Amino acid sequence: MAATILVVEDEPAIQELISYSLRQAKHTVFSTKNAEEAMKIINEALPDLVLLDWMLPGMSGADFARMLRRAARTKDIPIIMLTARADESDKVSGLESGADDYVTKPFSPRELLARIKAVLRRRAPEAADDVVEIGGLRLDSATHRVTANEIEVVLGPTEFRLLHYLMTHSERVHSRSQLLDQVWGDHVFVEDRTVDVHIRRLRKALENVDKDGLVQTVRGSGYRLSAGQAVSAG
Amino acid sequence: MAATILVVEDEPAIQELISYSLRQAKHTVFSTKNAEEAMKIINEALPDLVLLDWMLPGMSGADFARMLRRAARTKDIPIIMLTARADESDKVSGLESGADDYVTKPFSPRELLARIKAVLRRRAPEAADDVVEIGGLRLDSATHRVTANEIEVVLGPTEFRLLHYLMTHSERVHSRSQLLDQVWGDHVFVEDRTVDVHIRRLRKALENVDKDGLVQTVRGSGYRLSAGQAVSAG
DNA sequence: AAACAGTATTGCGGTTTTGTGACATTTGCA
DNA sequence: TGCAAATGTCACAAAACCGCAATACTGTTT
């Protein structure tokens, strides 16, 4: 959800407003007043999206958009054009130049954010309908369901993600820290012990379909999901 | 089968005839005399199809079609061109400009409707199905009716579209944003939470026929319509 | 066997996400 | 013009979740 956005807008006031609200929404913002500088920034690192003013000193926004569209490296970056209300033909040429959407000034920060969200979502590859199946347990991310023998296992969001990760990386041992990074997200400050709790919740839910044995503890290392059962001698 | 159609035609008589027969066929119609106005309408919300007169005052139909094809947001809208006579070169250029089909004047409303149906079907293979039935709930988009066990369920327009979408894309989880895009429209700006309210209204209506369990909440992800029950062991 | 270190369980307070009913507007029509 | 249906937002209640920490276990090491 949080993305890196390049804002190309010469009016300081609008520039300020946009940057502020984008940052407020957890996005990372780079901003410039003209196309030339924007180009430099893009050369450094590709943003996830470009907010481009239609009227710019020097190279116009439309021309800049077209340029981005022509270069292989930048042609897939979503572009949202900022146009002045008045003339409709601007919108037309704006979109023709390759923009994914446009927002007419004046606009509310809220609207801008909604548009950004929509464009980013549209660009994101349709979540592949991936279905994983291991040891008689089946997880379908499209329908967001986990079943075993036709019986559904009800899981909370975190347990679902955790199981998803374990299933797509089965047979391997994952330390608690690794799980926190992969399942909770990078740089999240949560106790290692919390993983235990979620593993516990996951196992409990799997007990209902007799599949709790799939989640195994590897003492001193972490956890592992494995179809091969852990046999305790004894 | 009911669709939203934008008619761009400058001759009042023909305009009238077309609008009348389209509405008769349950389509929603927007109409204008020229490309410029048409652009404004499209900026508001995308129609499912555009009926475009080849000859238009100002920007020509062909140019307008090309323009639509170039813009990312509109390039997938089906276009049917209305040409003055069976002039081969017109047809050719018409199709070249990006039209999906063409109809030569004079034409019968019947022929026009057939072409429209064909084009829409080609574009949306799955939406062509007029009747959907899931979990004992039956929705007929032709008669705009929803029934369960012979009993009719009364729904408002939005709830109807929402249910229709969910039924034609059942089992899958849809986020609120996705639902807004699909059910409300491409360029509308409303709160995510609004979806909740309509889901609520939909469920309430379905309660009358004991089918409200079909609409399920997937916490953290969105909603899903499913015939399968969530069986959670205690 | 006692001391340890690593795990399993549970209960709980605090949050976040949903469900709901009420309300202000807008829209279509009578 | 006035009414009724349809809609988008709110504010508050209800649920579902989370992460933590205290406590109970388990397997190892000395």
Side-chain angles (χ1 to χ4, degrees), chain A residues 8 18 39 67 108 130 140 170:
Chain A
V8 191
I18 295 177
M39 212 52 229
M67 174 187 296
S108 69
D130 85 283
D140 184 331
S170 63

Side-chain angles (χ1 to χ4, degrees), chain B residues 54-72:
Chain B
W54 170 252
M55 295 292 284
L56 283 177
M59 175 184 276
S60 86
D63 288 340
F64 182 52
R66 263 187 284 272
M67 176 187 301
L68 290 179
R69 284 290 179 261
R70 271 199 292 269

Side-chain angles (χ1 to χ4, degrees), chain A residues 92 110 121 143 145 152, chain B residues 67 171 181 191 224 231:
Chain A
V92 174
R110 225 174 164 192
R121 171 155 29 81
T143 64
R145 271 188 157 138
E152 173 158 8
Chain B
M67 176 187 301
E171 298 303 327
D181 274 359
E191 293 290 322
R224 163 181 65 196
V231 182

